[in-house]
Amino acid sequence: MEVTIGQFAKLMDTTVRTLRYYDKMDLLSPKKFNEYGQKVYTRVEWERYQQITIYKHLGLSLKEMKEQMTNGDVTNRELLLVQKAFMEKKQEEISETLDVIARMERLYKIEGQSEEVLDEFAFIMMDLFRREKRQVKVLEEHFQSGQLLTEQLRIMKDPELQAKMDREVWRLLQAIRKAVRHPDDVHQENVQDILKDMHRLFPNNKQFFTIVENEDFLANYNRDFNSYFPEDLADYMYKEMKAYYEGSE
């Protein structure tokens, strides 16, 4: 078997451009030339291309393929185990991303919803959803096992309750947005009413609030709780939550 790059590209169902790139990075570089001085692909390149295809299917980068095919420091079995762990992590990330998308879609489907307003807060909501799983894990580790809060954290994983809480958080953001723009008693009372509704769904929200004032906790877990919030909304939310929980004691 001795074929030109164009013939090999058709045979392998790829492109000449791809093969030239592989050649440039010395991943697949033919060593033989024909009588016209053109590089030709032989059985050796065919076998190497099959390896590239398999490694690509396993999710290796071109750089990783080259290292593996050149040095072979890792056995194929070790490579499979590494790639399995990588793919499982990737699968978990994809699953979490799809969950964030599904939760956002539910909000967009709320009857009478202003898509324009939700678009304005979309990144805030998505960031809250994205961080939630890690935050729950941190809180479960932080608070003693058996406490009411840890039990309720487990309950929060219920899809129906989660959907209700998502709607309440979204209502709260809208109410705070209006209250910041129109600082009067009516809008403030609306914020307090929503906090009351959220408290009914999740009575131990107060323990979450105490974390906001715990500098040691935030110093250790700032990366997990440093959510994407505009400063004016965050300040107003903190003030109203503090007023609500201090008033409910």
Side-chain angles (χ1 to χ4, degrees), residues 77-93:
R77 183 173 185 183
E78 290 172 333
L79 177 65
L80 288 174
L81 291 175
V82 169
Q83 286 307 109
K84 179 184 179 184
F86 172 78
M87 288 301 177
E88 286 175 343
K89 186 175 185 300
K90 196 70 177 175
Q91 188 177 45
E92 183 179 356
E93 290 172 354

Side-chain angles (χ1 to χ4, degrees), residues 112-135:
Q113 178 63 260
S114 168
E115 189 166 316
E116 182 181 350
V117 175
L118 185 49
D119 280 344
E120 182 181 340
F121 288 96
F123 283 106
I124 296 176
M125 298 299 295
M126 285 190 283
D127 187 52
L128 289 173
F129 297 159
R130 179 180 68 88
R131 295 173 185 270
E132 185 180 279
K133 183 176 181 181
R134 174 60 186 165
Q135 289 174 349

Side-chain angles (χ1 to χ4, degrees), residues 156-242:
M156 272 186 70
K157 297 172 186 176
D158 175 75
E160 187 175 341
L161 178 59
Q162 184 186 69
K164 289 179 180 178
M165 284 297 292
D166 289 350
R167 290 174 67 112
E168 293 304 317
V169 170
W170 170 227
R171 283 181 61 215
L172 181 63
L173 282 176
Q174 291 182 89
I176 290 174
R177 173 179 176 266
K178 292 177 181 177
V180 168
R181 294 181 177 180
H182 309 285
D184 54 43
D185 292 342
V186 173
H187 289 93
Q188 183 182 16
E189 287 174 10
N190 188 30
V191 170
Q192 290 292 312
D193 287 342
I194 295 171
L195 286 172
K196 189 181 298 182
D197 291 339
M198 293 178 70
H199 184 71
R200 292 193 192 102
L201 277 175
F202 197 77
N204 277 276
N205 261 337
K206 184 175 181 179
Q207 286 184 267
F208 282 113
F209 178 69
T210 59
I211 290 171
V212 177
E213 300 183 314
N214 186 326
E215 293 182 3
D216 291 336
F217 181 89
L218 291 179
N220 291 325
Y221 301 106
N222 181 64
R223 178 174 60 88
D224 301 304
F225 288 84
N226 187 22
S227 297
Y228 176 80
F229 259 95
E231 188 175 356
D232 57 345
L233 297 186
D235 289 345
Y236 191 92
M237 180 180 289
Y238 171 77
K239 182 186 72 174
E240 291 303 315
M241 288 181 71
K242 186 177 181 66

